[in-house]
Amino acid sequence: QVQLVESGGGLVQAGGSLRLSCAASGRTSTDYRIAWFRQAPGKEREFVAAVSRSGNSYYAVPVTGRFTVSRNVAKNNLYLQMNALKPEDSGVYYCAASFDIAMQIQNIMAYGYWGQGTQVTVSS
């Protein structure tokens, strides 16, 4: 079992920055993959970024070069530094954990544990 709690969302102007945090509890953090997904109104939830059990980072194409995902193993936390934000980055951001190493890390079906989400709104 893994419990996930996100924080750090808010309202920011286009071009600004936000840092999201995800506090994980339960299992040891290196036992699972951990990722950020987001969901805009009327759209499907989509992959944003992830960290593998070995510490490798993965990014969706739209955020590559602007977002940075990092993991603090000692604190069991995951972070998402978001720079150069665009209105299309708006949505609810979710932290998710996966013990499934067979599926691709970007595959939402691999994730069985989810936080409650934090709202990010980027104004133009």
Side-chain angles (χ1 to χ4, degrees):
Q1 284 279 9
V2 178
Q3 294 78 42
L4 304 167
V5 179
E6 304 95 334
S7 61
L11 174 64
V12 64
Q13 288 189 333
S17 298
L18 278 176
R19 186 183 190 229
L20 304 184
S21 299
C22 172
S25 60
R27 295 278 296 272
T28 303
S29 63
T30 51
D31 287 345
Y32 50 86
R33 301 162 158 181
I34 191 164
W36 291 100
F37 288 78
R38 67 186 182 189
Q39 188 168 20
K43 294 188 177 181
E44 294 186 350
R45 195 169 298 187
E46 63 178 5
F47 172 78
V48 175
V51 179
S52 69
R53 295 187 304 168
S54 60
N56 293 322
S57 300
Y58 299 82
Y59 297 93
V61 170
V63 308
T64 299
R66 300 188 297 121
F67 290 11
T68 302
V69 64
S70 60
R71 187 176 200 174
N72 185 319
V73 174
K75 293 185 177 180
N76 221 4
N77 285 352
L78 181 72
Y79 305 99
L80 186 67
Q81 177 65 44
M82 304 186 294
N83 298 329
L85 282 161
K86 304 175 181 180
E88 52 264 43
D89 293 319
S90 298
V92 179
Y93 281 68
Y94 297 91
C95 181
S98 169
F99 292 92
D100 187 331
I101 61 173
M103 292 188 183
Q104 285 190 326
I105 199 168
Q106 300 91 336
N107 190 337
I108 193 171
M109 299 300 295
Y111 293 83
Y113 299 91
W114 294 85
Q116 82 290 349
T118 186
Q119 178 71 46
V120 171
T121 303
V122 184
S123 63
S124 56

